[in-house]
Amino acid sequence: MIVASDIADLGQGLASLHTRAQKIAFVPTMGNLHAGHLALVEQAHHHADAVVASIFVNPMQFAAHEDLSTYPRTLEADLTALETAGVDLVFTPSDREIYPEGSASHTAIHVPSLGDALCGKDRPGHFDGVCTVVYKLFQLVKPDVAVFGEKDLQQLLIIKKMVGDLGLPIEIQSGATQRAEDGLALSSRNHYLSAAERAIAPKLFSTLTACAESLPSASPNSVETLLASSRGELESAGFALDYFELRGLPLLQHVSDATQDCALFVAARLGQTRLIDNIQLLNR
Ligand code: PAF
């Protein structure tokens, strides 16, 4: 596995991959890899004959009060995991390599509406940071395919919109959310949970699941009651809710029932840890 820590090495690594690979798939990450990331790598292998991953904790997607400085950094273990997963090249740039003049004054890509809803409302500027770094990484790696997790469904929809709007010649694939046995979606931020919080955390997915199961048979005027009762359950369990909402796909518009493609989205805090999850309700 080639490890490139700067843009020049990345260029050389890609040139050597292109001598033997027709198609390149890309999995961007912020490191601290878990089975969810490795499932995306496995999926990437199905779409291409070489797989490139990146590990970059992107300062531009963190607000000043967020966890940039404490975000778990586990480079050695991540490289071992990626090598075992058959990744061909890993790009591990420094902040300076991506933002030579700092990220605060950097040009930003904003996807309106989609980027302002849900997490975009609670974390202003977050998706601008995500889109900007993903665009820059796409420009550097020039993949044919890129794979993103459905755990971050809003992020996935925003990236697809950006790629469509900017006419980027990249196919976007998605990988299903990977979960612990008790249902908690795998996330690097799960490490922040205390033992007591970790015991409560699976309630997020069980509440989402129960609500999603009731929605298809709910009459339009009982949907809001169902959502309110799910919110109440989570709050009684100890979550501080940012949102628990039903939104249409792929535009995240407000919907009043589940007769069209939609998803239930939740973001909630347990102590200092913000967890997100979702369930898609596809009417196909
Ligand atoms: O999903 C993530 O880990 C990040 O938002 C991404 C896509 C790697 C951009 O920094």
Side-chain angles (χ1 to χ4, degrees), residues 28-31 37 54 56-58 61 71 126 129-130 133-134 137 148 152 155 159:
T29 81
M30 298 209 299
H37 297 105
S54 62
F56 179 62
V57 183
N58 173 32
Q61 67 191 74
Y71 196 85
H126 167 68
V130 170
V133 81
V134 168
L137 291 169
F148 293 84
D152 297 306
Q155 169 174 282
I159 301 287

Side-chain angles (χ1 to χ4, degrees), residues 118 153-154 243-245 247 249 252 263-266 277-278:
L118 302 173
L153 182 59
Q154 183 176 10
Y243 58 78
F244 187 104
E245 288 193 30
R247 293 287 183 116
L249 298 176
L252 296 182
L264 268 175
F265 290 89
V266 65
D277 205 346
N278 68 81

